[in-house]
Every structure is written in structure tokens, then in C-alpha cells.
Amino acid sequence: MRVMGRTRAAVLFSGTGSNLVAIAEAVAGGRLALELCLAATDRPAAAGLARAASFGIPTLAVAPADYADRAAHERALMAAIDASGAELVVLAGYMRIFGAGFVDHYAGRLLNLHPSLLPAYPGLHTHDRALAAGDRVHGTSIHFVTADLDGGPLVAQVEVAVQPHDTADSLAGRVRAAEHRLYPVVLDWFAAGRLRLEGATVFLDGLPLARPVRFQAPEAAS
Ligand code: GAR
């Protein structure tokens, strides 16, 4: 059902979809004024599909194996996103890298979540890398997507303190909890017209952001 006046958003994910659930719960709870018009994945077996459907969000799996090449897969995904009426595309654990055609098409309305304090640790295995480096502070970032992998203009970050006995799993769990709080907040900024990208500059409430908005996760109980 179309909700008048609300920004329509498509959420893309590849796995468990816990961030998708956090976003859907924020919408259901009245904390996020988006209309979720599509939940799409590249992995037909992704657990997030059933979780999205349980919120009544239209779901779709677009498997790369069904297409001749990456460009054809992306064209199919873009067609589905555009047919859903999405004005905003939210990457929430979507584990494929987009080509320039996709990124340009959604310029200024494509947001990504990445589990590190970018520019530290672009790419994979971010929690292992933070632990191996002996970092005391790790975290997560939300940024507008550009052709530069995990390098687009940053919007907001949450710092997560590394605990002495952390493993990659325990650290990932606290980073994920921080993501679940952060993404709905940032998406609501966008939905309210408070957040926009102009060129390579992020504007929040009409002012250019010299650096991402930084939050701190509550300390874990020891
Ligand atoms: C999240 O932690 C997100 O930061 C990460 O995937 C996880 C998805 O979890 N994204 C990336 O690594 C993108 N480079 P979820 O499926 O439970 O929401």
C-alpha cells in the first residue's frame, strides 16, 4: 500500500537481514518515516527474505547466476528497484560491488553501511583486522555510495570500544547492535529532507559536514 508523502525506499541485503529488520521495526514503531517498497537480495537463500516478508515488505531475489554478466544482473536489479517506485536505495549488508551504471543512476540516493570506522578497513573481515591491529576503538559507518569502494562521502559513524577479550564474533555483535540503532536515525534524516549529497559534499540541515556525525556505543557490561 502506498503511504502518501513518504519517501519510498528499497533495501538490498545478502544475508541475515538483521539491519533490514531494525529498519522495518523503526518504520513499524513510527520512528522512521519511510515506506519500504522493496526488499531485494542477490541470494535466493538469504534468511532476510522471510524476515522482510513478515513485515509485509514486497521481496525479490535477483540471482547473478541467472544473468549473462554483472551488467545484465545490475540492469535487472535496477529495473526492479525503479518499478517499485523507490526514491532511496539502502544497502544493508549487500555484499556485491556495483558498476558505474548502477552507482550513477542512484547518485545521491544510495546509502551503504560498512562495519568499520571508514576510511579504516574497507572491504572484508573488518573485525578481524581491527583486532589484529590492536585497535582500542572500532565501529561502523554509513556513507553515500560512489564508484570508490567503501570510499563514498561519510554521513555518520558509531564508535564501539574494543574489549580486552573480544573475538571477531563478540565485536561484530556489538557493532551490529550499533548499526541497528544508527541506520534508522540516518534514514530518517534522509526521509525528512535533512540529509543530501551535493557533488562530493554531504549536507545535514543545510550545512556541509566537514566530518561524519560521530556517536558512541554504550560500553559493554563486563
Ligand atoms: C552488517 O554488519 C554490515 O555492516 C555489513 O554486513 C552486515 C550485514 O548484517 N556490510 C558490509 O560488510 C558491506 N561491506 P545483516 O545482514 O545482519 O544486516
Side-chain angles (χ1 to χ4, degrees), residues 15-176:
T16 59
S18 72
N19 279 283
L20 165 67
V21 168
I23 293 164
E25 284 176 346
V27 171
R31 289 177 284 118
L32 172 54
L34 280 181
E35 181 190 346
L36 300 177
C37 57
L38 181 67
T41 184
D42 57 327
R43 296 190 191 162
L49 275 174
R51 302 177 88 180
S54 75
F55 284 89
I57 305 167
T59 59
L60 181 70
V62 185
D66 293 341
Y67 297 87
D69 53 27
R70 184 174 92 170
H73 175 250
E74 286 186 7
R75 278 197 301 275
L77 189 58
M78 280 167 57
I81 292 169
D82 292 347
S84 77
E87 298 146 278
L88 170 67
V89 179
V90 178
L91 304 181
Y94 189 74
M95 301 307 282
R96 300 184 70 78
I97 296 168
F98 289 113
F102 190 98
V103 171
D104 289 349
H105 185 67
Y106 297 109
R109 52 197 188 103
L110 181 59
L111 287 166
N112 184 42
L113 177 65
H114 183 78
S116 74
L117 294 174
L118 290 169
Y121 313 126
L124 298 174
H125 310 300
T126 57
H127 312 301
D128 294 289
R129 289 154 71 198
L131 288 174
D135 292 353
R136 308 282 296 273
V137 179
H138 183 46
T140 189
S141 304
I142 292 173
H143 64 95
F144 282 101
V145 178
T146 62
D148 182 7
L149 169 69
D150 296 330
L154 288 162
V155 177
Q157 299 181 314
V158 183
E159 295 178 358
V160 175
V162 179
Q163 304 292 331
H165 302 295
D166 261 330
T167 62
D169 278 352
S170 64
L171 188 53
R174 291 204 311 289
V175 168
R176 215 161 278 195

